[in-house]
Amino acid sequence: ARWDRHRRGLDAAPVATIHGFCGTLLRRHAAAAGLDPGFDVLDEPLAATLRTDALRDRLHALLTEDSPVGHDLRELVVLFGWAATKDAVDALVREPDPPAWEAWLTRTPDDVAADWLGPRRRELLPGWVEYLCGAAPKVAGALAVLGRAAPGTPEATRTAARLLAELPRLHEAPDLAAAVAELREVAKVGRSAKKDWPTDAEAVKEAFEGLRKEFDERFAAFTEAPDDLAEAARVGQRFVRVALAADAAYRDRKRAAAAVDFHDLLALTRDLLTARDDVRTQLAERFRFLLVDELQDTDPVQMRVVELLCGDALHAGKLFAVGDEKQSIYRFRGADVSLFRGLRAAVPEPGRLSLTTNFRSQPGVLAFVNALCRKRLPGYEPLLPGRGTQGPCGNVEFLWSVPPADAPPESAADVRAR
């Protein structure tokens, strides 16, 4: 009887995409959100056309306008040209965040530069090191060569062990520049190369050469303090001021047409729930539970809407969310898988359930996926087959990429990395 009651209750539950849910909410509270209750939702082609027209007209007017923003635009055009400036502003207007932009503009360029040289670089460095060790051809290729090369002397053994151990942990070094310089010196093949690496001397030599070159290029942004960093921040603020003007023109066009785009549905819902306690309380009473699927593909605005809808019960039973960080594929659209990781970590242990039994794939495929992913994904939980092998036991086939006969020769390290 209990489950039958739940089944009947599902028939009355509102089920929608997050954009559809936000659209319904905004129509119900249109006055509070400052919208025409009969607003239209622009599909992407119409929104792009309206945005392009608004951007073009506003930028053309700014070119001759005697104002600070007009001066900003003219300076940018001198620096980058008209096409590049317009494209950059358009990219900003496609994913607007005026409150964050305005907050950033209150800071001085020197403050922005100091922030980058301090906490921001430290925040980004672990991800950068992980990328280099896992995907940058020269660094990842060198680690792969060292992982399978056979040292012939104790010195070569120590060299390989040190590089394999310390490279992936460079972000933990107290002095990054010194650590990079030290490992660069370690990654050298001496005159006794044949003795140190009796079967892999050429491959190791090429790997070390590539590694040293990568060190020079890949860590410069994290070890050097450019003299023009404050000027770069000043130029960035010019772009943001122009983008604010262009976004305002686009919003005026939408308001005149009583229309919103897909980004507005999310941003206006977030703003409504943030500003109106009465609306938030009403929704908290109406929705006892909130179920969100594919949580790994949420962006910061979507996650904030979820947090506001759940309130204090976010980690205490109101939210039921399903996600898998391995399936996060919408980073290009603003999705941030770290939001999923953070929420998962904040939920008490009894509230987490790992679904690791796979009913879709052959055991051989799962064995390959487990072997591949456990090396790259921290805390990876192996997938378990929900059925036995069907048909031939070989489930995974490698297809090697072979260059054309007339292609320029590649080094051994490049081929191995690829």
Side-chain angles (χ1 to χ4, degrees), residues 215-257:
F215 275 176
D216 293 339
E217 298 174 357
R218 297 286 192 165
F219 284 101
F222 292 89
T223 57
E224 299 175 2
D227 296 332
D228 58 352
L229 198 55
E231 180 57 27
R234 191 172 288 109
V235 171
Q237 290 184 330
R238 290 188 191 279
F239 271 113
V240 168
R241 282 190 288 269
V242 174
L244 276 169
D247 182 59
Y250 178 39
R251 283 188 280 114
D252 288 343
R253 295 278 180 106
K254 288 184 288 186
R255 190 177 298 112

Coordinates of all heavy atoms in Angstrom, one line a residue, residues 215-257:
F215 N 59.0 21.9 -19.9 CA 59.2 22.6 -18.6 C 59.3 24.1 -18.8 O 58.8 24.9 -18.1 CB 60.4 22.1 -17.8 CG 60.1 20.8 -17.0 CD1 61.1 20.2 -16.3 CD2 58.8 20.4 -16.9 CE1 60.9 19.1 -15.5 CE2 58.5 19.2 -16.1 CZ 59.6 18.6 -15.4
D216 N 60.1 24.4 -19.9 CA 60.4 25.8 -20.1 C 59.1 26.6 -20.5 O 58.9 27.7 -20.2 CB 61.4 26.0 -21.3 CG 62.8 25.5 -20.9 OD1 63.0 25.4 -19.6 OD2 63.6 25.1 -21.7
E217 N 58.2 25.9 -21.3 CA 57.0 26.5 -21.8 C 55.8 26.4 -20.9 O 55.1 27.3 -20.8 CB 56.7 25.9 -23.2 CG 57.8 26.1 -24.2 CD 57.5 25.4 -25.5 OE1 56.5 24.7 -25.6 OE2 58.3 25.5 -26.5
R218 N 55.7 25.2 -20.3 CA 54.4 24.9 -19.7 C 54.3 25.5 -18.3 O 53.1 25.7 -17.8 CB 54.2 23.4 -19.5 CG 54.1 22.7 -20.9 CD 52.8 22.9 -21.5 NE 52.6 22.0 -22.6 CZ 51.4 21.8 -23.2 NH1 50.4 22.4 -22.8 NH2 51.3 20.9 -24.2
F219 N 55.4 25.8 -17.6 CA 55.3 26.3 -16.2 C 55.6 27.8 -16.1 O 55.6 28.4 -15.0 CB 56.2 25.5 -15.3 CG 55.7 24.2 -15.0 CD1 56.2 23.1 -15.6 CD2 54.7 24.0 -14.0 CE1 55.7 21.8 -15.3 CE2 54.2 22.8 -13.7 CZ 54.7 21.6 -14.3
A220 N 55.8 28.5 -17.3 CA 56.2 29.9 -17.2 C 55.1 30.7 -16.6 O 55.4 31.6 -15.7 CB 56.5 30.4 -18.6
A221 N 53.8 30.4 -16.9 CA 52.7 31.2 -16.3 C 52.6 31.0 -14.8 O 52.0 31.9 -14.1 CB 51.4 30.8 -17.0
F222 N 53.2 30.0 -14.3 CA 53.1 29.7 -12.8 C 54.4 30.0 -12.1 O 54.4 30.0 -10.8 CB 52.7 28.2 -12.6 CG 51.3 27.9 -13.0 CD1 51.1 27.5 -14.3 CD2 50.3 28.0 -12.2 CE1 49.8 27.2 -14.8 CE2 49.0 27.7 -12.6 CZ 48.7 27.3 -13.9
T223 N 55.5 30.3 -12.8 CA 56.7 30.6 -12.1 C 57.2 32.0 -12.3 O 58.1 32.4 -11.6 CB 57.8 29.6 -12.6 OG1 57.9 29.7 -14.0 CG2 57.4 28.1 -12.2
E224 N 56.7 32.7 -13.3 CA 57.2 34.0 -13.6 C 56.2 35.0 -13.2 O 55.0 34.7 -13.1 CB 57.5 34.1 -15.1 CG 58.6 33.2 -15.6 CD 58.8 33.2 -17.1 OE1 58.1 34.0 -17.8 OE2 59.6 32.4 -17.6
A225 N 56.6 36.3 -13.1 CA 55.8 37.4 -12.7 C 55.9 38.4 -13.8 O 56.7 39.3 -13.8 CB 56.2 38.0 -11.4
P226 N 55.0 38.3 -14.8 CA 55.1 39.2 -16.0 C 55.0 40.7 -15.5 O 54.2 41.0 -14.7 CB 53.9 38.8 -16.9 CG 53.5 37.5 -16.4 CD 53.9 37.4 -15.0
D227 N 55.8 41.6 -16.2 CA 55.7 43.0 -15.8 C 54.4 43.6 -16.2 O 54.0 44.6 -15.6 CB 56.9 43.7 -16.5 CG 58.2 43.2 -16.0 OD1 58.3 42.8 -14.8 OD2 59.2 43.3 -16.8
D228 N 53.8 43.1 -17.3 CA 52.6 43.7 -17.8 C 51.3 43.1 -17.3 O 50.2 43.3 -17.9 CB 52.6 43.7 -19.3 CG 52.7 42.3 -19.9 OD1 52.9 41.3 -19.1 OD2 52.5 42.1 -21.1
L229 N 51.3 42.4 -16.2 CA 50.1 41.7 -15.7 C 49.0 42.7 -15.3 O 47.8 42.5 -15.6 CB 50.5 40.8 -14.5 CG 49.5 39.7 -14.2 CD1 49.2 38.8 -15.4 CD2 50.0 38.9 -13.0
A230 N 49.4 43.8 -14.7 CA 48.4 44.8 -14.3 C 47.7 45.4 -15.6 O 46.5 45.7 -15.6 CB 49.0 45.9 -13.4
E231 N 48.5 45.6 -16.6 CA 48.0 46.1 -17.9 C 47.1 45.1 -18.5 O 46.0 45.5 -19.1 CB 49.2 46.5 -18.8 CG 48.7 47.1 -20.1 CD 47.9 48.3 -20.0 OE1 48.0 49.0 -19.0 OE2 47.1 48.6 -20.9
A232 N 47.4 43.9 -18.4 CA 46.5 42.8 -19.0 C 45.1 42.9 -18.2 O 44.1 42.7 -18.8 CB 47.1 41.4 -18.8
A233 N 45.2 43.1 -16.9 CA 43.9 43.2 -16.1 C 43.2 44.4 -16.5 O 41.9 44.4 -16.6 CB 44.3 43.2 -14.6
R234 N 43.9 45.5 -16.8 CA 43.2 46.8 -17.2 C 42.5 46.6 -18.6 O 41.4 47.0 -18.8 CB 44.3 47.9 -17.3 CG 43.7 49.3 -17.5 CD 44.8 50.3 -17.4 NE 45.3 50.4 -16.0 CZ 46.5 50.0 -15.6 NH1 47.3 49.4 -16.5 NH2 46.8 50.2 -14.3
V235 N 43.2 45.9 -19.5 CA 42.6 45.6 -20.8 C 41.3 44.7 -20.6 O 40.3 44.8 -21.2 CB 43.6 44.9 -21.7 CG1 42.9 44.4 -23.0 CG2 44.7 45.9 -22.1
G236 N 41.5 43.7 -19.7 CA 40.3 42.8 -19.4 C 39.1 43.6 -18.9 O 38.0 43.3 -19.3
Q237 N 39.4 44.6 -18.1 CA 38.3 45.4 -17.5 C 37.7 46.2 -18.6 O 36.5 46.5 -18.6 CB 38.8 46.2 -16.4 CG 39.1 45.4 -15.1 CD 39.5 46.2 -13.9 OE1 40.1 47.3 -14.1 NE2 39.2 45.7 -12.8
R238 N 38.5 46.6 -19.6 CA 37.9 47.4 -20.7 C 36.9 46.5 -21.5 O 35.8 46.9 -21.8 CB 39.0 47.8 -21.7 CG 39.9 48.9 -21.2 CD 40.8 49.4 -22.4 NE 41.8 50.3 -21.9 CZ 41.7 51.6 -21.7 NH1 40.5 52.1 -21.8 NH2 42.7 52.3 -21.3
F239 N 37.3 45.2 -21.7 CA 36.4 44.3 -22.3 C 35.1 44.1 -21.5 O 34.0 44.0 -22.1 CB 37.0 42.9 -22.5 CG 37.8 42.8 -23.8 CD1 39.2 42.6 -23.8 CD2 37.2 42.7 -25.0 CE1 39.9 42.5 -24.9 CE2 37.9 42.6 -26.2 CZ 39.3 42.5 -26.2
V240 N 35.2 44.0 -20.2 CA 34.0 43.8 -19.4 C 33.1 45.0 -19.4 O 31.9 44.8 -19.5 CB 34.4 43.4 -18.0 CG1 33.3 43.5 -17.0 CG2 35.1 42.0 -17.9
R241 N 33.6 46.2 -19.4 CA 32.8 47.4 -19.4 C 32.0 47.5 -20.8 O 30.8 47.8 -20.8 CB 33.6 48.6 -19.2 CG 34.0 48.9 -17.8 CD 34.6 50.3 -17.6 NE 35.9 50.3 -18.1 CZ 37.0 50.1 -17.4 NH1 37.0 49.7 -16.1 NH2 38.2 50.2 -18.0
V242 N 32.7 47.1 -21.9 CA 32.0 47.1 -23.2 C 31.0 46.0 -23.2 O 29.9 46.2 -23.7 CB 33.1 46.9 -24.3 CG1 32.3 46.8 -25.7 CG2 34.0 48.1 -24.4
A243 N 31.3 44.8 -22.6 CA 30.3 43.7 -22.6 C 29.1 44.1 -21.8 O 28.0 43.7 -22.1 CB 31.0 42.5 -22.0
L244 N 29.3 44.8 -20.7 CA 28.1 45.3 -19.9 C 27.2 46.2 -20.7 O 26.0 46.0 -20.7 CB 28.6 46.0 -18.6 CG 29.0 45.2 -17.4 CD1 29.7 46.0 -16.4 CD2 27.7 44.5 -16.8
A245 N 27.8 47.1 -21.5 CA 27.0 48.0 -22.3 C 26.3 47.2 -23.4 O 25.1 47.4 -23.7 CB 27.9 49.0 -23.0
A246 N 27.0 46.2 -24.0 CA 26.3 45.4 -25.1 C 25.2 44.5 -24.5 O 24.2 44.3 -25.1 CB 27.4 44.5 -25.8
D247 N 25.5 43.9 -23.3 CA 24.5 43.1 -22.7 C 23.2 43.9 -22.3 O 22.1 43.4 -22.4 CB 25.1 42.4 -21.4 CG 24.1 41.5 -20.7 OD1 23.6 40.5 -21.4 OD2 23.8 41.7 -19.5
A248 N 23.4 45.1 -21.8 CA 22.3 46.0 -21.5 C 21.4 46.3 -22.8 O 20.2 46.3 -22.7 CB 22.8 47.3 -20.9
A249 N 22.1 46.5 -23.9 CA 21.4 46.7 -25.2 C 20.6 45.4 -25.6 O 19.4 45.5 -26.0 CB 22.4 47.1 -26.3
Y250 N 21.2 44.3 -25.4 CA 20.5 43.0 -25.7 C 19.3 42.8 -24.8 O 18.2 42.4 -25.2 CB 21.5 41.9 -25.6 CG 21.0 40.5 -25.8 CD1 20.0 40.2 -26.8 CD2 21.4 39.4 -25.0 CE1 19.6 39.0 -27.0 CE2 20.9 38.1 -25.2 CZ 20.0 37.9 -26.2 OH 19.5 36.6 -26.4
R251 N 19.5 43.1 -23.5 CA 18.4 43.0 -22.5 C 17.2 43.9 -22.9 O 16.1 43.6 -22.7 CB 18.8 43.2 -21.1 CG 19.6 42.0 -20.5 CD 19.9 42.1 -19.1 NE 21.1 42.9 -18.8 CZ 21.1 44.1 -18.2 NH1 19.9 44.6 -17.8 NH2 22.2 44.7 -18.1
D252 N 17.6 45.1 -23.3 CA 16.5 46.1 -23.8 C 15.8 45.5 -24.9 O 14.5 45.7 -25.0 CB 17.2 47.4 -24.1 CG 17.7 48.2 -22.9 OD1 17.3 47.8 -21.8 OD2 18.5 49.1 -23.1
R253 N 16.5 44.9 -25.9 CA 15.8 44.3 -27.0 C 14.8 43.2 -26.6 O 13.7 43.1 -27.1 CB 16.8 43.8 -28.0 CG 17.7 44.8 -28.7 CD 17.1 45.5 -29.8 NE 18.0 46.5 -30.4 CZ 18.6 46.3 -31.6 NH1 18.4 45.2 -32.3 NH2 19.4 47.2 -32.1
K254 N 15.3 42.4 -25.7 CA 14.4 41.3 -25.2 C 13.2 41.8 -24.4 O 12.1 41.3 -24.6 CB 15.2 40.3 -24.3 CG 16.2 39.5 -25.1 CD 16.9 38.5 -24.2 CE 17.9 39.2 -23.3 NZ 18.7 38.2 -22.5
R255 N 13.4 42.9 -23.6 CA 12.3 43.4 -22.9 C 11.3 44.0 -23.8 O 10.1 43.9 -23.6 CB 12.9 44.5 -21.9 CG 11.9 45.0 -20.9 CD 12.5 46.0 -19.9 NE 13.5 45.3 -19.1 CZ 14.8 45.7 -19.2 NH1 15.2 46.6 -20.1 NH2 15.7 45.1 -18.5
A256 N 11.8 44.7 -24.8 CA 10.8 45.3 -25.8 C 10.0 44.2 -26.5 O 8.8 44.5 -26.9 CB 11.6 46.2 -26.8
A257 N 10.6 43.1 -26.7 CA 9.9 42.0 -27.4 C 9.2 41.0 -26.5 O 8.6 40.0 -26.9 CB 10.9 41.2 -28.2

